[in-house]
Amino acid sequence: MAHRKTFKLLCGFAGGSAVLVFAAAAADSRGYFGEQRSGEPAAGRWSSFAVLRAAQPAWTPASHTPAPTGHAWDFNWDKRDPSLLSNGKSKKESATEGPGSEQDNGKPKATRNILLIRHSQYNLSGNSDKERILTPLGREQAELTGQRLAALGLKYDVFIHSSMSRATETANIINKHLADPERRTGPGVELVSCDLLREGAPIEPVPPVTHWKPDAVQYHEDGARIEAAFRRYIHRADPRQKEDSYEIIVCHANVIRYFVCRALQFPPEGWLRIGLNNGSITWLTIRPSGRVALRTLGDSGFMPPDKLTRT
């Protein structure tokens, strides 16, 4: 019965290849797999394990490399690919222009670095947005985030924040740490408030969750607004921008997670699979070519463990 069991297993592994079975049987004068002949050491016989190993295909890198899935990278995801912007000219006219043409001058040359900051911990029991201000721990978190951004030694060009109270307060605390020490004046970055960045339900998540189920109308309304915020703030640099920029956006977890999925051309409905701590830093880099890289996702390693929260 042993040889019958081996034959069945072999069929499963090798797709029923009879050639290997008979070759193994011929190697054993009695035709039984796993039986030891008298006077012959066990190492000299064909075992069931040896037959199964022989039946398996040879390992190659190609056989263990996952095949690409999904769509190819869309370099015109932000509709700003200069090769596809004719500026009112026909493709034939654009093709005849030299390297110093208007089209060539219209190519972006700078890289945008966008640092997405989640607001700090806030009062969840507040009945209105004005009452949902930062907790004492939340203010500590904002101080730590501000210290971290200052320690990076970068020149921040833009500072935008959601108009909700918890994001506004977080931005104000962070900005105190970004003052230019040489000028010894107030904060060196002008704060800009934006309603598009307010918290909301960007798109129905997949897989669904049981503890959070907004109405369909909320997805319909919030989704359009958050997508509008993405199109306004997440794109390659304007051709007139000469130097790389570092821009801060303080907003909310749902908004940041959706932005990351959209910028990396991942399925946006997967946004809720990402978790972000309060006061964390998510860093997106957008090259002139339209390539996007995620340098950090929810970085909060600059905070002591007892200061970490996700509420």
Side-chain angles (χ1 to χ4, degrees), residues 32-301:
Y32 292 96
F33 302 115
E35 289 191 4
Q36 181 178 349
R37 294 191 295 272
S38 60
E40 181 182 5
R45 62 184 173 82
W46 272 74
S47 66
S48 301
F49 177 73
V51 174
L52 291 175
R53 289 190 63 182
Q56 296 178 9
W59 186 93
T60 63
S63 66
H64 288 70
T65 301
T69 60
H71 300 287
W73 179 263
D74 177 13
F75 281 93
N76 196 33
W77 59 273
D78 59 352
K79 309 305 178 190
R80 294 169 185 250
D81 187 338
S83 65
L84 299 177
L85 295 175
S86 61
N87 294 323
K89 300 180 181 180
S90 66
K91 291 185 178 180
K92 183 177 180 180
E93 290 174 330
S94 298
T96 59
E97 294 178 337
S101 65
E102 181 180 348
Q103 184 186 18
D104 185 69
N105 293 332
K107 291 182 179 180
K109 299 176 179 60
T111 294
R112 293 183 68 211
N113 294 274
I114 303 174
L115 287 80
L116 301 162
I117 315 297
R118 189 192 176 193
H119 61 78
S120 302
Q121 186 191 65
Y122 68 102
N123 175 27
L124 289 169
S125 61
N127 295 320
S128 65
D129 179 61
K130 290 183 178 181
E131 296 177 356
R132 293 171 186 157
I133 58 176
L134 299 185
T135 64
L137 175 57
R139 290 191 287 274
E140 284 187 68
Q141 292 170 339
E143 297 281 357
L144 291 168
T145 303
Q147 292 169 13
R148 172 59 176 170
L149 292 172
L152 292 176
L154 303 173
K155 178 183 179 299
Y156 300 106
D157 306 275
V158 176
F159 198 149
I160 304 165
H161 61 86
S162 158
S163 57
M164 298 188 82
S165 296
R166 54 188 182 270
T168 302
E169 189 175 358
T170 300
N172 282 317
I173 294 174
I174 290 174
N175 206 28
K176 292 189 303 181
H177 295 272
L178 305 182
D180 188 339
E182 295 182 358
R183 294 186 302 177
R184 297 183 180 180
T185 59
V189 187
E190 180 183 358
L191 291 176
V192 178
S193 178
C194 179
D195 289 333
L196 293 178
L197 294 167
R198 295 172 72 89
E199 184 64 298
I203 188 174
E204 190 169 356
V206 176
V209 293
T210 57
H211 63 278
W212 186 71
K213 286 193 173 183
D215 295 332
V217 66
Q218 185 174 353
Y219 287 119
H220 183 69
E221 295 177 353
D222 290 352
R225 172 178 55 78
I226 296 173
E227 172 65 19
F230 173 82
R231 297 186 185 191
R232 173 177 290 188
Y233 297 117
I234 312 299
H235 54 77
R236 76 192 76 189
D238 188 276
R240 293 169 294 182
Q241 181 176 324
K242 303 304 180 183
E243 298 180 354
D244 295 351
S245 60
Y246 295 87
E247 308 168 32
I248 299 173
I249 299 178
V250 176
C251 52
H252 310 269
N254 294 356
V255 177
I256 295 172
R257 294 183 283 193
Y258 178 79
F259 280 8
V260 168
C261 288
R262 285 281 285 111
L264 297 179
Q265 298 186 25
F266 293 165
E269 60 270 17
W271 63 273
L272 200 49
R273 305 171 203 170
I274 302 171
L276 299 174
N277 288 334
N278 294 111
S280 61
I281 302 172
T282 296
W283 187 335
L284 285 171
T285 296
I286 306 177
R287 303 295 183 189
S289 64
R291 292 183 183 273
V292 180
L294 181 63
R295 296 190 58 174
T296 62
L297 176 65
D299 176 26
S300 54

Side-chain angles (χ1 to χ4, degrees), residues 2-4 6-7 10 20-26 28 31-35 45-48 51:
H3 68 285
R4 294 180 181 177
T6 305
F7 180 79
L10 188 59
L20 288 172
V21 175
F22 286 115
D28 190 320
Y32 292 96
F33 302 115
E35 289 191 4
R45 62 184 173 82
W46 272 74
S47 66
S48 301
V51 174

